Amino acid sequence: MKEKRFNVLLVEDNLDHAELVIRSFAEHRLDKAIHHVQDGESALDYLFHRGAFIDSAIHPAPDVVLLDLRLPKVDGLEVLKQVKADTDLRLIPVVVLTTSAAEIDLVKAYEGYANSYLVKPVDFEKFAKLMHDLHVYWLDWNQHV
Amino acid sequence: MKGLIRGKFIFIVISISFLVCLAISVVSYSFYSTYLYAHLKQKTEMVCDRLSLTLSNQLWNFSLHDCSLIIESELRDVDVLAIILRSEDDTMYVSLGRADGARNGGTVIKSLKPEEINSLGSSAFMARQAKVLHGSEVLGNVTVFSTDRNVKSDLVSRMLTISLSSAIIGVLIALALFIAVDRLVSSRVIELSKVVNVFAGGNFSSRAEIINRDEISALGKAFNQMAEKLKTLYDDLQSSEAHYRELYDGVPTGLYRTTPDGRFVDANPALIALLGFGDRAELSDIELADLYANRQDYDHWESTLESESSLRNFEFRLQRTDGATCWVRNNAHVVTDSEGRALCYEGSLEDITVLKAAEAEQKKLIAELESKNAELARFTYTVSHDLKSPLITIKGFLGYLEKEAREGNFEDFAKDLDRITSAADKMQSLLLELLELSRIGRIANVQEESPFEQVAKEAVALVEGRLRERDIEVDLARGLPVVFGDITRLREAVENLVDNAVKFMGGQEKPRIEIGSRADGTETVFYVRDNGIGIDPHYHSKVFRLFERLDPNTEGTGMGLAIAERIIEVHGGRIWVESEGLGKGSTFCFTFPDSRVVKSE
């Protein structure tokens, strides 16, 4: 039986941050595809297979969503709200990955049924460790529907 | 009243004197009649006894003539009616009697006829018989008849005298009694009643005269004490009334009383002044409902009073008679009688216009403060987020640099170094622009007048390089109004708007930016219009937010529009964006308050 290929949707407007996440994940051998979008609108288009993301063969439904909160056009909380309002999409774990440690963001994210809330550490070692643990937990250990 | 008292006195006195007079008459009649009849009886017996002695010798000698003389002399007494001398065997010797009708003119003696002797038994008062003796021999019998005719007339004349004199005495006593009673009681009671009447008439200094210690004086004294207390009470009441009147007239709050149908009965000077009237008389033409600028307020007032009988701190706009309105606070209640019927409404009106204005000002300030606070919170939040972001990039790629250097991977090393450099540059420009933003409005530059055309021209000149680079045509309207403000800042605002237009020109073949103004009502609206990619109406409110970028791939920090907005706001104006959507271009509009725009003729 062919091993399942993991799909990760990375919603991140900062290209440098996205690169850091992608590089960290590349260190793990698990077969996966990281689909990167830069704003909330594109993230919703991807998830709902709209516009440029209509072909679900190229843009398959993700096993986990890594979501930044401050995004151009539609912000992360709105993306979260629409995802969790959809009966199919709400099954996908959404991990909020943001620079904001503000309590209001934390509360709003959990109110929007976020599955996890992670703050990007400034320190490189910590950042690398978080990325490692994130991968291990959400991709290796965590069971997906 | 005084007639009644005197009348009763007179009646009582007359009755008493009549009774006294009657009593005296009755007593003296019985006394005199007893006395006179006893005397008559004694006299008759005496005459009879005397005759039985004096006739003894004459009869012994049988000298009847002498006997007649003796008898005649006895008959001179007016009380003796007749005397009869008879023998032992009833033979008539002498029978003499008084003749009728000769009562006053001397004594007329006549011999009695036998029928006259027989009638003596009934006409005489009494009869007395005695034996005429000589030694022990009985010579005959003498009988004396007496009459009470004189006693009767004597009694009548005496009774007349007594009655008359006792009547006179009675009248005199009555008169004396009346005068005494009148002096002692009636006149003083009348005098006292006069005093009371004067007091009742309102002269509270009226007092009764105290002359002795009798009951009437005691009454007067009691009255005086009562009057004194009443006067004290009245004086207290008057001073209290004056005190409250002073308070009522002097208090700055309007006080009033109206009839249940809303007409003024009373109002204090503060209320009259509050309503804008000259004096109290003008109030009579006014109905309560006329004083409410909004009819609904009056309806609320009336229905609340009807249902709850009182109203607390009700605020409404008062319609003054001079046409002006002011804010007032009203407290009112219904005054009812014992059966719950409304007698009147009482209440107070307080001018709270100043308070209201202060309240509104306070609300405005609080709202402003809250909005500033929210802005500050948003600012801190975005700043911390956006400053942290390049730091993560720098530290993250520094970590990779170390690794790449160790591995000798110089291709990635150069790329990552570039990332670090640009993140550091980004941080620097963020910091600079934040500093810039914080200076707007905080550091006051010179306020001056400048034609807006001039301001726009200089702003365009600052982005000249990029305009030429993308071959963008700029159309600047002529004769734009003169504006007054911080010209350097205004230029910066326009520069940011033009710069923004350049950034979002997209793939437009004939890129064009238009700067001009239009009249919108009384307002002058300035605008910077482009035919670039346009903005989805959904995002119009987001574009001015700090660090907000609709497209992550455009260069810049996301502060240009935030700075432009801040500059316009500091000048008291408004800024907004108009765009029909993607591909339709955008128009950034802004206004200034009238004081800052000098309109062209």
Side-chain angles (χ1 to χ4, degrees):
Chain A
M1 181 183 145
K2 195 191 165 191
E3 204 173 81
K4 189 189 180 306
R5 185 184 164 90
F6 273 91
N7 286 292
V8 178
L9 177 63
L10 174 63
V11 190
E12 174 61 79
D13 66 328
N14 189 311
L15 294 175
D16 296 330
H17 289 191
E19 178 65 21
L20 288 173
V21 173
I22 290 164
R23 280 197 201 180
S24 304
F25 275 25
E27 286 165 18
H28 295 261
R29 283 186 301 153
L30 188 74
D31 185 18
K32 62 191 168 269
I34 298 177
H35 307 275
H36 175 215
V37 292
Q38 282 181 264
D39 61 63
E41 204 168 74
S42 308
L44 289 171
D45 284 351
Y46 184 100
L47 289 163
F48 287 98
H49 302 297
R50 294 186 302 221
F53 307 96
I54 202 151
D55 187 349
S56 59
I58 309 168
H59 304 291
D63 296 289
V64 67
V65 178
L66 299 183
L67 181 67
D68 193 4
L69 288 184
R70 269 182 61 87
L71 295 167
K73 297 179 185 173
V74 180
D75 74 11
L77 289 172
E78 178 61 25
V79 173
L80 187 64
K81 189 177 145 194
Q82 293 199 25
V83 167
K84 293 302 182 186
D86 185 275
T87 46
D88 291 329
L89 293 178
R90 72 164 61 134
L91 302 175
I92 303 169
V94 176
V95 176
V96 172
L97 186 60
T98 176
T99 51
S100 170
E103 191 175 330
I104 182 158
D105 283 335
L106 185 65
V107 170
K108 279 188 173 175
Y110 282 124
E111 275 174 359
Y113 305 109
N115 300 77
S116 181
Y117 190 99
L118 303 171
V119 180
K120 297 171 188 166
V122 174
D123 196 64
F124 175 67
E125 270 76 36
K126 282 185 186 161
F127 189 91
K129 177 82 164 77
L130 174 72
M131 285 302 127
H132 174 79
D133 292 346
L134 170 61
H135 191 284
V136 169
Y137 182 82
W138 285 107
L139 274 65
D140 300 348
W141 289 116
N142 196 51
Q143 295 297 308
H144 303 271
V145 177
Chain B
M1 178 166 162
K2 74 181 191 185
L4 201 64
I5 291 179
R6 278 194 169 139
K8 277 181 182 166
F9 267 127
I10 289 167
F11 174 75
I12 290 166
V13 161
I14 285 175
S15 307
I16 289 171
S17 47
F18 174 75
L19 286 174
V20 166
C21 181
L22 197 68
I24 289 171
S25 301
V26 168
V27 168
S28 32
Y29 176 82
S30 78
F31 173 77
Y32 276 113
S33 73
T34 309
Y35 170 75
L36 288 177
Y37 277 101
H39 183 71
L40 181 64
K41 201 177 162 188
Q42 203 180 355
K43 197 200 255 177
T44 308
E45 284 167 359
M46 255 172 63
V47 169
C48 193
D49 292 348
R50 195 163 53 232
L51 280 175
S52 75
L53 291 176
T54 51
L55 288 177
S56 177
N57 285 334
Q58 315 306 334
L59 207 51
W60 179 260
N61 298 327
F62 206 71
S63 171
L64 288 175
H65 179 74
D66 286 345
C67 283
S68 291
L69 286 176
I70 289 167
I71 287 168
E72 257 176 56
S73 75
E74 287 294 342
L75 273 171
R76 284 197 185 96
D77 191 320
V78 289
D79 291 327
V80 180
L81 185 67
I83 298 169
I84 294 167
L85 183 64
R86 271 182 282 223
S87 65
E88 187 69 357
D89 55 0
D90 245 358
T91 309
M92 190 64 71
Y93 294 142
V94 179
S95 65
L96 289 174
R98 188 181 297 273
D100 279 339
R103 219 174 292 160
N104 299 322
T107 311
V108 179
I109 309 294
K110 63 170 187 179
S111 262
L112 296 173
K113 293 168 190 157
E115 68 270 16
E116 281 173 331
I117 293 164
N118 286 337
S119 71
L120 274 175
S122 61
S123 63
F125 165 68
M126 69 174 284
R128 174 82 182 184
Q129 195 173 10
K131 289 183 190 313
V132 181
L133 296 172
H134 192 264
S136 56
E137 191 186 346
V138 177
L139 300 178
N141 291 319
V142 63
T143 310
V144 177
F145 293 89
S146 63
T147 177
D148 61 352
R149 204 161 48 198
N150 291 316
V151 169
K152 270 179 184 165
S153 67
D154 188 19
L155 204 55
V156 166
S157 76
R158 273 172 192 266
M159 282 321 292
L160 273 175
T161 312
I162 287 168
S163 294
L164 200 66
S165 57
S166 72
I168 288 165
I169 289 166
V171 166
L172 286 176
I173 288 170
L175 206 63
L177 208 60
F178 175 75
I179 289 166
V181 166
D182 193 60
R183 279 284 306 276
L184 285 170
V185 183
S186 289
S187 65
R188 288 176 57 204
V189 168
I190 288 162
E191 197 55 44
L192 189 58
S193 86
K194 272 184 196 161
V195 168
V196 173
N197 276 332
V198 170
F199 188 88
N203 180 1
F204 297 121
S205 56
S206 167
R207 292 288 180 278
E209 197 187 342
I210 309 298
I211 46 172
N212 53 30
R213 289 187 181 177
D214 65 10
E215 288 85 344
I216 290 175
S217 291
L219 184 65
K221 216 166 164 182
F223 167 76
N224 283 355
Q225 280 172 0
M226 186 193 76
E228 202 55 52
K229 274 188 188 163
L230 268 177
K231 190 175 185 319
T232 313
L233 270 177
Y234 182 76
D235 288 348
D236 284 355
L237 201 66
Q238 253 188 342
S239 85
S240 160
E241 157 76 14
H243 176 70
Y244 280 107
R245 176 55 63 178
E246 205 175 299
L247 193 67
Y248 181 74
D249 286 348
V251 76
T253 305
L255 301 171
Y256 64 86
R257 181 178 294 143
T258 72
T259 58
D261 57 352
R263 294 210 161 263
F264 279 100
V265 179
D266 198 5
N268 71 343
L271 186 86
I272 292 160
L274 181 61
L275 300 182
F277 285 116
D279 68 74
R280 207 173 292 234
E282 294 174 60
L283 271 179
S284 54
D285 304 332
I286 281 288
E287 271 188 47
L288 216 51
D290 302 338
L291 301 176
Y292 288 76
N294 298 318
R295 179 74 199 192
Q296 301 97 297
D297 285 341
Y298 175 71
D299 293 342
H300 172 77
W301 182 89
E302 199 181 29
S303 64
T304 308
L305 272 187
E306 265 171 25
S307 60
E308 291 165 34
S309 13
S310 77
L311 188 68
R312 292 273 160 263
N313 297 325
F314 176 53
E315 293 178 1
F316 66 91
R317 285 193 79 81
L318 177 81
Q319 182 66 56
R320 285 168 54 100
T321 48
D322 57 10
T325 60
C326 63
W327 273 102
V328 289
R329 180 181 294 144
N330 179 224
N331 280 287
H333 64 268
V334 185
V335 179
T336 52
D337 61 13
S338 56
E339 281 163 33
R341 280 186 300 250
L343 293 175
C344 63
Y345 293 166
E346 284 178 348
S348 66
L349 274 184
E350 214 177 326
D351 188 345
I352 54 161
T353 311
V354 176
L355 207 66
K356 270 281 179 191
E359 209 173 88
E361 180 66 17
Q362 195 184 25
K363 267 185 194 162
K364 200 181 126 201
L365 284 176
I366 287 171
E368 260 175 35
L369 201 63
E370 276 172 352
S371 116
K372 288 262 183 247
N373 250 342
E375 198 185 309
L376 189 67
R378 205 165 58 229
F379 181 81
T380 323
Y381 169 77
T382 49
V383 165
S384 69
H385 178 276
D386 282 67
L387 286 179
K388 203 172 161 189
S389 218
L391 263 183
I392 291 169
T393 306
I394 292 167
K395 283 205 148 188
F397 284 101
L398 272 175
Y400 280 109
L401 275 189
E402 198 188 342
K403 211 164 134 196
E404 284 152 3
R406 253 191 284 116
E407 290 165 359
N409 180 354
F410 291 105
E411 198 188 331
D412 284 347
F413 186 91
K415 271 191 211 162
D416 291 353
L417 201 60
D418 276 352
R419 287 182 199 272
I420 292 169
T421 313
S422 64
D425 288 348
K426 171 99 183 268
M427 244 185 128
Q428 191 189 0
S429 59
L430 271 175
L431 288 172
L432 284 174
E433 284 181 46
L434 275 176
L435 193 64
E436 188 67 21
L437 190 66
S438 76
R439 279 181 178 155
I440 302 167
R442 194 163 54 82
I443 294 166
N445 291 330
V446 187
Q447 301 279 308
E448 56 193 334
E449 280 188 4
S450 174
F452 194 74
E453 192 186 334
Q454 182 67 27
V455 177
K457 197 182 267 178
E458 286 167 11
V460 169
L462 290 169
V463 279
E464 185 63 43
R466 272 188 286 170
L467 286 167
R468 202 179 299 150
E469 196 181 299
R470 307 213 185 163
D471 201 17
I472 298 169
E473 182 197 341
V474 176
D475 178 8
L476 177 58
R478 299 200 164 253
L480 292 174
V482 171
V483 290
F484 174 75
D486 181 346
I487 298 303
T488 317
R489 288 284 177 214
L490 289 178
R491 192 192 300 130
E492 192 182 344
V494 178
E495 182 197 340
N496 277 320
L497 292 177
V498 174
D499 190 48
N500 189 69
V502 173
K503 268 188 219 165
F504 297 98
M505 199 48 87
Q508 180 59 248
E509 281 179 27
K510 284 185 179 169
R512 191 167 175 274
I513 294 172
E514 191 189 331
I515 303 172
S517 75
R518 65 171 196 240
D520 191 356
T522 57
E523 242 178 2
T524 304
V525 178
F526 297 93
Y527 59 84
V528 175
R529 180 178 297 149
D530 65 60
N531 56 354
I533 60 170
I535 305 164
D536 188 329
H538 191 65
Y539 305 124
H540 285 185
S541 62
K542 275 182 94 175
V543 295
F544 296 104
R545 282 193 205 157
L546 193 63
F547 304 127
E548 196 72 60
R549 285 170 300 155
L550 295 183
D551 182 352
N553 294 323
T554 45
E555 77 268 44
T557 54
M559 289 182 71
L561 291 180
I563 289 172
E565 182 189 38
R566 181 89 186 118
I567 293 169
I568 300 299
E569 278 180 355
V570 163
H571 282 83
R574 288 180 297 120
I575 188 167
W576 69 96
V577 65
E578 292 170 355
S579 177
E580 286 171 21
L582 286 174
K584 303 275 175 69
S586 318
T587 306
F588 283 85
C589 305
F590 53 94
T591 61
F592 296 107
D594 289 347
S595 58
R596 290 196 177 274
V597 182
V598 185
K599 297 213 172 90
S600 51
E601 314 74 53

